[in-house]
Amino acid sequence: MTVLTPDTIRAASETLSLLTEYLRSDPDLDEALDLVAPLLDEYTGIPVQFADTLRALARVVQEHPDTPATSEVAFLISELRTAAWEQAGQHTLHYILDALRAEKPSSTKAACDWCP
């Protein structure tokens, strides 16, 4: 397993920032869709992964022996779990990519291997 550090997580976040900058530079549509597709994958994309991360964090906080058993902490743990459910609900974003691909001109559809 890869050793995780705050720096490795920052690197992932910086990669997303680079993608955002690139998408603002008016790239080719096919390339833009290709680059974003893995992030919005229905099963492994960021919404699903981040939801899992938030749930795991809530569990770690709740089960840690040094976590105070206060109503404020219980509320914060509940907020993490609520955010996880909301994030997981975004897994349907991949349908937007499918719809965009379906709307592309047929000459482009035939030329790409990821079009429906």
Side-chain angles (χ1 to χ4, degrees):
M1 178 180 196
T2 302
V3 175
L4 292 177
T5 66
D7 287 338
T8 59
I9 303 305
R10 274 189 209 91
S13 181
E14 288 173 18
T15 299
L16 288 175
S17 293
L18 290 172
L19 174 60
T20 301
E21 287 177 36
Y22 179 73
L23 292 174
R24 290 179 178 151
S25 72
D26 196 26
D28 175 72
L29 177 59
D30 291 338
E31 186 176 15
L33 292 172
D34 281 346
L35 290 171
V36 172
L39 300 177
L40 298 181
D41 182 85
E42 179 178 14
Y43 302 106
T44 61
I46 286 182
V48 173
Q49 295 296 324
F50 193 52
D52 287 346
T53 300
L54 292 173
R55 280 191 287 275
L57 176 60
R59 182 185 48 76
V60 167
V61 171
Q62 183 175 24
E63 293 178 0
H64 195 278
D66 293 337
T67 299
T70 65
S71 59
E72 179 64 18
V73 170
F75 172 76
L76 295 171
I77 291 168
S78 175
E79 288 291 297
L80 281 172
R81 290 188 173 128
T82 298
W85 277 108
E86 291 172 358
Q87 187 64 40
Q90 299 301 312
H91 77 279
T92 59
L93 287 171
H94 75 278
Y95 292 124
I96 293 171
L97 290 181
D98 292 343
L100 287 170
R101 291 173 179 150
E103 293 298 319
K104 290 171 50 176
S106 18
S107 63
T108 306
K109 275 195 221 178
C112 69
D113 58 358
W114 47 263
C115 296

